[in-house]
Amino acid sequence: MQHSMISTALAAVSLRDLALVQAVHRHGSFNSAARAMHISPSGLSHQVQKVEQALGAPLFERGGRKVVPTAGGQRLLERIDAVLAAAELLQQAARAGAVAFGGELRLGVPASLGPYLLPHLIAPFPQHFPGVRLGISEGKPRGLLRRLHEAELDAVLAPLAPLASGIAMQPLFFEPWEAMLRADHPLAGRRSVALEQLEATDAILMAESHAGGDGHVQDVSLESLAALVSLRGGHALVPALAHERLASKPDIVLAKIKGQAPGREIALYWREATPWGADLAAFGKLLRALAKQLPGLKLVS
């Protein structure tokens, strides 16, 4: 039998103590971390000192306007994050099998996908996963995938992207772009247009583009994008699932793209270490079944 090499002092440190240290790092302030963790600032300071003494090294530089890690503390904080993530996986594994996803699926969805796909998912989800709460986080794919890697989310729906270490992915469906035009645009009366007919200088662009989107389609509120097109004219490329919602906007029309329309391939991402592998496979199957019923989408293998 292998004997533990953990010191008595470190063995007395609890997961709660480590979570308090993590909160100080995240907030950069003892006062803010204390409020978030529902503990007094003096109590929080005492618990952080307890961890530092057990480790035999200071974790933070004190005295400045913002609490920052020491050079050695930064390395130890990364280890503390790993310990807490492992503890969460332990808890999830203990609940696995009783209820799918341990009772909650924390799903990340881009702002340009969620409002148009989720209405089709809300009704069938509890039928396939009874007793499971579906928690939705909306944002940009890059940020959502980072949160997935950091175990803040269980799964993410996003366009194809390079896989980070420890992340798995299943392609789901291809979604073509459509052209969104102001009602007085010269091409507004046509049901379909060629990309070559759209002047690049007239494109309405915003901060961040999809990978593979050639700078045309952004992960922003498509409602805001429609408002800009209505105000300024020009055009924007938007995902097909948003057609019905955007077509109802005043002064906005949509047209399909002729020929081999560009678009995005949506995939389901999760951590390889997740205990919910079978549940995520069933969830992916549900998403593919929904995509098969929605106009314009094509399943991908």
Side-chain angles (χ1 to χ4, degrees), residues 4 16 21 36 39-40 61 69 71 110 153 155 171 244 270 285 290:
S4 173
R16 168 69 173 175
V21 168
I39 186 174
S40 69
E61 295 178 5
L153 298 172
E244 184 175 352
W270 66 91
K285 185 176 180 180
L290 289 176

Side-chain angles (χ1 to χ4, degrees), residues 254-299:
L254 289 107
K256 296 187 182 302
I257 304 297
K258 290 180 180 178
Q260 189 68 32
R264 60 182 177 180
E265 193 168 311
I266 299 296
L268 178 66
Y269 297 83
W270 66 91
R271 289 184 304 283
E272 292 176 345
T274 182
W276 316 124
D279 297 333
L280 284 163
F283 183 57
K285 185 176 180 180
L286 171 60
L287 290 168
R288 289 174 63 84
L290 289 176
K292 191 174 182 179
Q293 301 170 9
L294 296 174
L297 304 188
K298 296 180 181 178
L299 297 183

Side-chain angles (χ1 to χ4, degrees), residues 74-259:
Q74 182 64 51
R75 294 191 295 271
L76 293 173
L77 285 163
E78 291 173 1
R79 295 290 185 179
I80 288 172
D81 289 345
V83 169
L84 291 172
E88 183 178 355
L89 286 176
L90 176 64
Q91 179 174 268
Q92 291 176 348
R95 297 197 304 256
V99 180
F101 301 109
E104 180 179 12
L105 172 59
R106 300 171 300 175
L107 180 66
V109 189
S112 61
L113 176 65
Y116 315 103
L117 177 64
L118 292 178
H120 303 283
L121 176 64
I122 297 304
F125 183 84
Q127 301 170 15
H128 288 77
F129 303 102
V132 178
R133 177 180 179 273
L134 180 60
I136 302 297
S137 291
E138 194 175 87
K140 297 181 185 296
R142 190 178 305 165
L144 293 172
L145 291 171
R146 184 187 68 250
R147 292 180 62 193
L148 174 66
H149 193 267
E150 295 173 354
E152 294 181 13
L153 298 172
D154 300 311
V156 166
L157 287 170
L160 290 184
L163 287 179
S165 174
I167 300 297
M169 175 269 287
Q170 177 195 2
L172 297 175
F173 57 84
F174 175 82
E175 181 182 20
W177 306 135
E178 294 185 356
M180 179 168 63
L181 311 165
R182 195 164 70 177
D184 61 358
H185 192 282
L187 300 174
R190 306 188 183 190
R191 297 187 62 182
S192 62
V193 298
L195 279 178
E196 296 76 17
Q197 294 176 283
L198 298 172
E199 294 288 343
T201 55
D202 289 338
I204 303 297
L205 302 176
M206 295 182 75
E208 183 173 332
S209 300
H210 282 307
D214 299 324
H216 290 290
V217 179
Q218 295 76 47
D219 272 304
V220 296
S221 163
L222 297 182
E223 316 290 325
S224 298
L225 198 58
L228 276 177
V229 170
S230 178
L231 180 67
R232 295 169 50 186
H235 73 275
L237 296 187
V238 294
L241 275 176
H243 179 102
E244 184 175 352
R245 181 90 64 89
L246 297 178
S248 67
K249 300 288 182 184
D251 300 324
I252 291 294
V253 297
L254 289 107
K256 296 187 182 302
I257 304 297
K258 290 180 180 178

